[in-house]
Amino acid sequence: MQTARFNDMISCGCWIKVILDTNPYLRKVYIIGAKEESINAIPSQYRNRVKFYNETELFQEDRRNQFILENTDHPLYISIDKDILNATSAITNWDQGSLSLENLEKLLILILTKTRVIGVDVCGEYSEPANVFSAKRASFINSNTNKRLLTLVLSLKNMIHI
């Protein structure tokens, strides 16, 4: 939800704001796992189009059911940023979340089988070359996570409501 730092260059920090500003078909953005200070920094003109869940809310049955009910009329596009995951599941060199890959997979199974999904992407690669060993370790862990997420989505492709 940040403003682009370099002219019109779209980055991980501003793409949600850009899409909210430019895509008339986008109804709502759901963000899972944002930190409280990030949520409080959202400009007021976006508050009715952005909804937040903390990392554990969608594992509560009533919140999960509310999310599914809210998302039956319009298709969803899922963008997974690995910075929501704990350091065992993904390595990032910025904010690191606490969600396990196993819990993310459970959440994805629920969303992919109960709502209409039109696409999925995974982002959040380790981007800053610290030292060779840190970069290799991050690449290994993140590649395994990417493979697991891709395998999960592909295994459910016949169950996905498109």
Side-chain angles (χ1 to χ4, degrees), residues 93-131:
N93 48 344
W94 52 92
D95 290 341
Q96 188 80 52
S98 60
L99 191 67
S100 71
L101 180 56
E102 292 75 19
N103 280 338
L104 176 58
E105 289 172 321
K106 289 176 188 174
L107 184 57
L108 282 172
I109 289 168
L110 173 76
I111 293 170
L112 290 168
T113 59
K114 302 288 185 191
T115 63
R116 293 183 308 159
V117 174
I118 58 171
V120 178
D121 75 68
V122 179
C123 63
E125 298 307 313
Y126 188 87
S127 63
E128 188 177 304
N131 66 49

Short mmCIF file of all heavy atoms in Angstrom, two decimals, residues 93-131:
data_model
loop_
_atom_site.label_atom_id
_atom_site.label_comp_id
_atom_site.label_asym_id
_atom_site.label_seq_id
_atom_site.Cartn_x
_atom_site.Cartn_y
_atom_site.Cartn_z
N ASN A 93 14.64 -11.62 3.78
CA ASN A 93 15.56 -10.68 4.39
C ASN A 93 14.85 -9.36 4.66
O ASN A 93 15.39 -8.29 4.51
CB ASN A 93 16.82 -10.49 3.54
CG ASN A 93 16.51 -10.26 2.08
OD1 ASN A 93 15.41 -10.52 1.62
ND2 ASN A 93 17.48 -9.78 1.34
N TRP A 94 13.61 -9.45 5.07
CA TRP A 94 12.80 -8.33 5.55
C TRP A 94 11.89 -8.91 6.60
O TRP A 94 12.31 -9.80 7.31
CB TRP A 94 12.06 -7.62 4.39
CG TRP A 94 11.25 -8.55 3.54
CD1 TRP A 94 9.94 -8.87 3.69
CD2 TRP A 94 11.70 -9.30 2.41
NE1 TRP A 94 9.54 -9.77 2.75
CE2 TRP A 94 10.62 -10.05 1.94
CE3 TRP A 94 12.92 -9.42 1.76
CZ2 TRP A 94 10.71 -10.90 0.85
CZ3 TRP A 94 12.99 -10.27 0.66
CH2 TRP A 94 11.90 -10.99 0.22
N ASP A 95 10.65 -8.49 6.72
CA ASP A 95 9.75 -9.02 7.75
C ASP A 95 9.63 -10.54 7.62
O ASP A 95 9.52 -11.06 6.52
CB ASP A 95 8.35 -8.42 7.62
CG ASP A 95 8.31 -6.96 8.00
OD1 ASP A 95 9.24 -6.51 8.69
OD2 ASP A 95 7.36 -6.27 7.61
N GLN A 96 9.64 -11.21 8.74
CA GLN A 96 9.47 -12.66 8.77
C GLN A 96 8.25 -12.96 9.61
O GLN A 96 8.18 -12.52 10.76
CB GLN A 96 10.71 -13.32 9.37
CG GLN A 96 10.73 -14.83 9.29
CD GLN A 96 11.15 -15.32 7.92
OE1 GLN A 96 12.17 -14.94 7.39
NE2 GLN A 96 10.34 -16.17 7.33
N GLY A 97 7.30 -13.68 9.06
CA GLY A 97 6.09 -14.03 9.79
C GLY A 97 6.28 -15.23 10.68
O GLY A 97 7.40 -15.70 10.89
N SER A 98 5.17 -15.77 11.17
CA SER A 98 5.25 -16.91 12.07
C SER A 98 4.38 -18.08 11.62
O SER A 98 4.33 -19.10 12.29
CB SER A 98 4.86 -16.49 13.49
OG SER A 98 3.54 -15.99 13.50
N LEU A 99 3.71 -17.96 10.48
CA LEU A 99 2.84 -19.02 9.99
C LEU A 99 3.68 -20.18 9.47
O LEU A 99 4.66 -19.98 8.76
CB LEU A 99 1.95 -18.47 8.86
CG LEU A 99 0.81 -19.35 8.39
CD1 LEU A 99 -0.24 -19.51 9.48
CD2 LEU A 99 0.16 -18.74 7.15
N SER A 100 3.27 -21.40 9.81
CA SER A 100 3.99 -22.57 9.30
C SER A 100 3.49 -22.88 7.89
O SER A 100 2.36 -22.55 7.52
CB SER A 100 3.77 -23.78 10.21
OG SER A 100 2.43 -24.24 10.08
N LEU A 101 4.33 -23.53 7.11
CA LEU A 101 3.93 -23.94 5.77
C LEU A 101 2.75 -24.90 5.83
O LEU A 101 1.84 -24.82 5.01
CB LEU A 101 5.12 -24.60 5.04
CG LEU A 101 4.85 -25.09 3.62
CD1 LEU A 101 4.32 -23.97 2.72
CD2 LEU A 101 6.12 -25.69 3.03
N GLU A 102 2.72 -25.77 6.82
CA GLU A 102 1.61 -26.71 6.97
C GLU A 102 0.29 -25.97 7.19
O GLU A 102 -0.72 -26.33 6.60
CB GLU A 102 1.88 -27.67 8.14
CG GLU A 102 3.02 -28.64 7.91
CD GLU A 102 4.42 -28.01 8.02
OE1 GLU A 102 4.57 -26.91 8.63
OE2 GLU A 102 5.36 -28.60 7.47
N ASN A 103 0.30 -24.94 8.02
CA ASN A 103 -0.94 -24.17 8.23
C ASN A 103 -1.33 -23.38 6.99
O ASN A 103 -2.52 -23.25 6.69
CB ASN A 103 -0.82 -23.27 9.45
CG ASN A 103 -1.03 -24.03 10.74
OD1 ASN A 103 -1.65 -25.09 10.76
ND2 ASN A 103 -0.51 -23.51 11.83
N LEU A 104 -0.35 -22.85 6.26
CA LEU A 104 -0.67 -22.18 5.01
C LEU A 104 -1.30 -23.16 4.02
O LEU A 104 -2.28 -22.83 3.35
CB LEU A 104 0.58 -21.54 4.40
CG LEU A 104 0.39 -20.89 3.03
CD1 LEU A 104 -0.67 -19.80 3.06
CD2 LEU A 104 1.71 -20.34 2.51
N GLU A 105 -0.77 -24.37 3.96
CA GLU A 105 -1.34 -25.38 3.06
C GLU A 105 -2.78 -25.71 3.43
O GLU A 105 -3.64 -25.83 2.56
CB GLU A 105 -0.47 -26.65 3.07
CG GLU A 105 0.86 -26.45 2.38
CD GLU A 105 1.80 -27.62 2.54
OE1 GLU A 105 1.86 -28.22 3.64
OE2 GLU A 105 2.50 -27.94 1.56
N LYS A 106 -3.06 -25.84 4.72
CA LYS A 106 -4.44 -26.11 5.17
C LYS A 106 -5.37 -24.97 4.76
O LYS A 106 -6.49 -25.20 4.30
CB LYS A 106 -4.49 -26.27 6.70
CG LYS A 106 -3.86 -27.54 7.19
CD LYS A 106 -3.87 -27.57 8.72
CE LYS A 106 -3.08 -28.74 9.25
NZ LYS A 106 -2.95 -28.72 10.71
N LEU A 107 -4.91 -23.75 4.93
CA LEU A 107 -5.70 -22.59 4.55
C LEU A 107 -5.94 -22.55 3.05
O LEU A 107 -7.05 -22.30 2.58
CB LEU A 107 -5.00 -21.32 5.02
CG LEU A 107 -5.71 -20.00 4.80
CD1 LEU A 107 -7.08 -19.99 5.44
CD2 LEU A 107 -4.85 -18.86 5.32
N LEU A 108 -4.90 -22.84 2.27
CA LEU A 108 -5.05 -22.86 0.81
C LEU A 108 -6.03 -23.94 0.36
O LEU A 108 -6.83 -23.71 -0.55
CB LEU A 108 -3.70 -23.08 0.14
CG LEU A 108 -2.81 -21.85 0.09
CD1 LEU A 108 -1.42 -22.23 -0.42
CD2 LEU A 108 -3.42 -20.78 -0.78
N ILE A 109 -5.97 -25.11 0.96
CA ILE A 109 -6.91 -26.18 0.60
C ILE A 109 -8.33 -25.70 0.82
O ILE A 109 -9.21 -25.86 -0.04
CB ILE A 109 -6.62 -27.46 1.41
CG1 ILE A 109 -5.31 -28.10 0.93
CG2 ILE A 109 -7.78 -28.45 1.31
CD1 ILE A 109 -4.79 -29.21 1.84
N LEU A 110 -8.57 -25.07 1.94
CA LEU A 110 -9.91 -24.54 2.24
C LEU A 110 -10.34 -23.51 1.21
O LEU A 110 -11.42 -23.61 0.63
CB LEU A 110 -9.91 -23.91 3.64
CG LEU A 110 -11.19 -23.18 4.01
CD1 LEU A 110 -12.27 -24.17 4.35
CD2 LEU A 110 -10.94 -22.22 5.15
N ILE A 111 -9.49 -22.54 0.94
CA ILE A 111 -9.85 -21.47 0.01
C ILE A 111 -10.01 -22.00 -1.41
O ILE A 111 -10.96 -21.67 -2.12
CB ILE A 111 -8.81 -20.33 0.07
CG1 ILE A 111 -8.87 -19.63 1.43
CG2 ILE A 111 -9.04 -19.32 -1.06
CD1 ILE A 111 -7.74 -18.65 1.69
N LEU A 112 -9.08 -22.86 -1.84
CA LEU A 112 -9.13 -23.38 -3.21
C LEU A 112 -10.33 -24.28 -3.47
O LEU A 112 -10.81 -24.37 -4.60
CB LEU A 112 -7.84 -24.13 -3.53
CG LEU A 112 -6.59 -23.27 -3.66
CD1 LEU A 112 -5.33 -24.13 -3.67
CD2 LEU A 112 -6.64 -22.40 -4.90
N THR A 113 -10.82 -24.94 -2.44
CA THR A 113 -11.94 -25.86 -2.65
C THR A 113 -13.31 -25.25 -2.31
O THR A 113 -14.33 -25.82 -2.67
CB THR A 113 -11.75 -27.15 -1.83
OG1 THR A 113 -11.64 -26.83 -0.43
CG2 THR A 113 -10.52 -27.91 -2.28
N LYS A 114 -13.32 -24.10 -1.67
CA LYS A 114 -14.60 -23.49 -1.25
C LYS A 114 -14.93 -22.19 -1.97
O LYS A 114 -16.02 -21.66 -1.81
CB LYS A 114 -14.61 -23.22 0.26
CG LYS A 114 -14.38 -24.44 1.12
CD LYS A 114 -15.56 -25.35 1.11
CE LYS A 114 -15.34 -26.49 2.09
NZ LYS A 114 -16.31 -27.54 1.95
N THR A 115 -14.00 -21.63 -2.72
CA THR A 115 -14.23 -20.37 -3.42
C THR A 115 -13.81 -20.53 -4.88
O THR A 115 -13.18 -21.51 -5.24
CB THR A 115 -13.44 -19.22 -2.78
OG1 THR A 115 -12.05 -19.49 -2.89
CG2 THR A 115 -13.81 -19.01 -1.32
N ARG A 116 -14.15 -19.56 -5.69
CA ARG A 116 -13.71 -19.57 -7.10
C ARG A 116 -12.38 -18.84 -7.19
O ARG A 116 -12.29 -17.66 -6.88
CB ARG A 116 -14.75 -18.88 -7.99
CG ARG A 116 -16.05 -19.65 -8.08
CD ARG A 116 -17.02 -19.00 -9.01
NE ARG A 116 -17.19 -17.59 -8.67
CZ ARG A 116 -17.65 -16.66 -9.50
NH1 ARG A 116 -17.99 -16.99 -10.72
NH2 ARG A 116 -17.79 -15.42 -9.12
N VAL A 117 -11.36 -19.54 -7.63
CA VAL A 117 -10.02 -18.98 -7.71
C VAL A 117 -9.63 -18.88 -9.18
O VAL A 117 -9.77 -19.84 -9.93
CB VAL A 117 -9.01 -19.87 -6.94
CG1 VAL A 117 -7.59 -19.37 -7.13
CG2 VAL A 117 -9.38 -19.89 -5.45
N ILE A 118 -9.16 -17.71 -9.60
CA ILE A 118 -8.76 -17.53 -10.99
C ILE A 118 -7.25 -17.53 -11.18
O ILE A 118 -6.77 -17.55 -12.31
CB ILE A 118 -9.37 -16.24 -11.59
CG1 ILE A 118 -8.94 -15.02 -10.78
CG2 ILE A 118 -10.88 -16.36 -11.67
CD1 ILE A 118 -9.33 -13.70 -11.42
N GLY A 119 -6.49 -17.51 -10.10
CA GLY A 119 -5.05 -17.55 -10.24
C GLY A 119 -4.36 -17.51 -8.90
O GLY A 119 -4.94 -17.12 -7.89
N VAL A 120 -3.11 -17.96 -8.91
CA VAL A 120 -2.29 -17.99 -7.70
C VAL A 120 -0.86 -17.61 -8.09
O VAL A 120 -0.37 -18.07 -9.13
CB VAL A 120 -2.27 -19.40 -7.06
CG1 VAL A 120 -1.37 -19.43 -5.83
CG2 VAL A 120 -3.67 -19.88 -6.72
N ASP A 121 -0.22 -16.78 -7.28
CA ASP A 121 1.21 -16.55 -7.47
C ASP A 121 1.90 -16.64 -6.12
O ASP A 121 1.26 -16.54 -5.07
CB ASP A 121 1.50 -15.21 -8.15
CG ASP A 121 1.31 -14.01 -7.24
OD1 ASP A 121 2.11 -13.85 -6.29
OD2 ASP A 121 0.38 -13.22 -7.47
N VAL A 122 3.20 -16.88 -6.16
CA VAL A 122 4.02 -16.95 -4.96
C VAL A 122 5.18 -15.99 -5.15
O VAL A 122 5.87 -16.04 -6.18
CB VAL A 122 4.55 -18.38 -4.71
CG1 VAL A 122 5.42 -18.42 -3.47
CG2 VAL A 122 3.39 -19.38 -4.60
N CYS A 123 5.40 -15.13 -4.18
CA CYS A 123 6.51 -14.19 -4.24
C CYS A 123 7.21 -14.16 -2.89
O CYS A 123 6.81 -14.83 -1.96
CB CYS A 123 6.02 -12.80 -4.64
SG CYS A 123 4.87 -12.06 -3.44
N GLY A 124 8.24 -13.35 -2.80
CA GLY A 124 8.93 -13.19 -1.53
C GLY A 124 10.25 -13.93 -1.47
O GLY A 124 10.63 -14.45 -0.42
N GLU A 125 10.94 -13.95 -2.58
CA GLU A 125 12.25 -14.62 -2.61
C GLU A 125 13.28 -13.81 -1.82
O GLU A 125 13.16 -12.61 -1.66
CB GLU A 125 12.74 -14.80 -4.05
CG GLU A 125 11.84 -15.68 -4.90
CD GLU A 125 11.53 -17.03 -4.28
OE1 GLU A 125 12.46 -17.71 -3.79
OE2 GLU A 125 10.36 -17.41 -4.28
N TYR A 126 14.28 -14.48 -1.36
CA TYR A 126 15.42 -13.86 -0.69
C TYR A 126 16.14 -13.04 -1.74
O TYR A 126 16.56 -13.55 -2.76
CB TYR A 126 16.32 -14.96 -0.14
CG TYR A 126 17.45 -14.49 0.75
CD1 TYR A 126 17.24 -14.30 2.10
CD2 TYR A 126 18.71 -14.26 0.24
CE1 TYR A 126 18.28 -13.90 2.93
CE2 TYR A 126 19.76 -13.85 1.06
CZ TYR A 126 19.53 -13.68 2.40
OH TYR A 126 20.55 -13.28 3.21
N SER A 127 16.26 -11.74 -1.52
CA SER A 127 16.72 -10.88 -2.62
C SER A 127 18.08 -10.23 -2.42
O SER A 127 18.67 -9.76 -3.37
CB SER A 127 15.69 -9.78 -2.88
OG SER A 127 15.56 -8.97 -1.74
N GLU A 128 18.55 -10.19 -1.23
CA GLU A 128 19.79 -9.45 -0.98
C GLU A 128 20.93 -10.43 -0.74
O GLU A 128 20.88 -11.22 0.20
CB GLU A 128 19.60 -8.57 0.26
CG GLU A 128 20.73 -7.62 0.51
CD GLU A 128 20.41 -6.74 1.70
OE1 GLU A 128 19.37 -6.08 1.67
OE2 GLU A 128 21.20 -6.74 2.64
N PRO A 129 21.95 -10.41 -1.57
CA PRO A 129 23.04 -11.37 -1.37
C PRO A 129 23.87 -11.01 -0.14
O PRO A 129 24.68 -10.08 -0.19
CB PRO A 129 23.86 -11.26 -2.65
CG PRO A 129 23.56 -9.89 -3.18
CD PRO A 129 22.18 -9.55 -2.71
N ALA A 130 23.61 -11.69 0.95
CA ALA A 130 24.39 -11.44 2.18
C ALA A 130 25.72 -12.15 2.04
O ALA A 130 26.70 -11.57 1.64
CB ALA A 130 23.62 -11.96 3.38
N ASN A 131 25.72 -13.41 2.31
CA ASN A 131 26.90 -14.21 2.01
C ASN A 131 26.45 -15.44 1.26
O ASN A 131 25.26 -15.78 1.24
CB ASN A 131 27.70 -14.54 3.29
CG ASN A 131 26.94 -15.46 4.22
OD1 ASN A 131 26.41 -16.48 3.82
ND2 ASN A 131 26.89 -15.09 5.50
#
